[in-house]
Structures are given as C-alpha cells and as structure tokens.
Amino acid sequence: MIPNKLTPGYNVRWESSRMMLPEHREQLLKERSKQEEFTPPILDNDQLEEINRIIIISMEQKQEVIITFIEKYGPAQFSGWIQKVDRYERWIRLDNDQDTLLLFFKEILQIDFL
C-alpha cells in the first residue's frame, strides 16, 4: 500500500516542509551562536563594598535602585525597592509595582540608585 494523506500516521502534504534552505540554516546557526551562555566577570573587593553600601543606604532611606544581575544568556536589569536582605542564606528581595525578584548575592553584578 502506498501512503497518502489519509493513511494513519502519514501526512504526505507536509513531508517537504522538513527540508531547510541553506539561508535559513545559516540564520538559525547565527541565532544559536548569539545565545551562548554568559560568563560573568569576577567582582573585586571595591565593587563588592560599593554594592553593600548602596544596599544599606537603600534599605535605610527607602530609595529605589536599579540592579544588574546575571541571567543565562547575559546581564539583565531590574528596578525596585529592596524589601529584605538575608545575610545567612545570602539573598536579596526587590519589589516594584509589577513584580518581585529574589536574587542571590553571587548573581549581582552592579547596583545603582535610580
């Protein structure tokens, strides 16, 4: 029996869509290479002290901050108010009008006042 579009398990109509043009393949490979995993920089003691200072001031004065943190494919930013800092488990919680973010200290790259 020759399969046709009505044969169970076969869909002859879409068989040709499995092929890919060379231009599409190149574009797909470019997109995948752009999404290489991000390797974060190592922060020195001065940068860590500056982050600590801004966190303390922001907590005391209820100032909004913008924080740059590590994500899989690159740095990301979030702005909000620091709600809680847990020094033992080493995380920080930020809130803004729309969302809440929980970050571990090791994920923080930079923090500034907004």
Side-chain angles (χ1 to χ4, degrees):
M1 182 170 106
I2 299 173
N4 62 28
K5 65 181 180 181
L6 299 176
T7 307
Y10 289 95
N11 193 348
V12 178
R13 175 184 283 178
W14 301 111
E15 288 295 317
S16 65
S17 69
R18 292 185 185 160
M19 295 188 301
M20 189 178 291
L21 293 174
E23 303 88 50
H24 294 160
R25 183 177 182 278
E26 288 173 16
Q27 186 173 2
L28 221 135
L29 291 174
K30 283 181 187 177
E31 289 297 319
R32 285 185 186 160
S33 68
K34 286 181 187 176
Q35 293 184 348
E36 291 180 13
E37 288 195 29
F38 176 66
T39 306
I42 298 172
L43 302 178
D44 63 0
N45 285 337
D46 293 336
Q47 291 170 316
L48 295 173
E49 287 176 14
E50 179 68 14
I51 290 171
N52 186 38
R53 183 185 69 78
I54 292 175
I55 290 172
I56 291 170
I57 292 171
S58 174
M59 289 282 293
E60 290 173 351
Q61 299 177 1
K62 305 285 189 217
Q63 286 190 337
E64 189 174 6
V65 295
I66 185 162
I67 190 163
T68 306
F69 60 96
I70 300 169
E71 282 206 334
K72 187 172 184 176
Y73 296 114
Q77 291 188 330
F78 185 86
S79 62
W81 292 270
I82 298 174
Q83 297 299 320
K84 185 171 183 177
V85 176
D86 190 327
R87 294 179 188 219
Y88 298 111
E89 294 184 16
R90 304 183 56 80
W91 55 262
I92 185 172
R93 189 179 78 208
L94 291 100
D95 290 333
N96 63 19
D97 297 334
Q98 301 161 351
D99 206 3
T100 299
L101 180 69
L102 185 78
L103 282 176
F104 289 100
F105 291 160
K106 64 183 179 182
E107 296 173 332
I108 298 174
L109 294 176
Q110 184 179 359
I111 187 167
D112 290 309
F113 295 113
L114 197 61

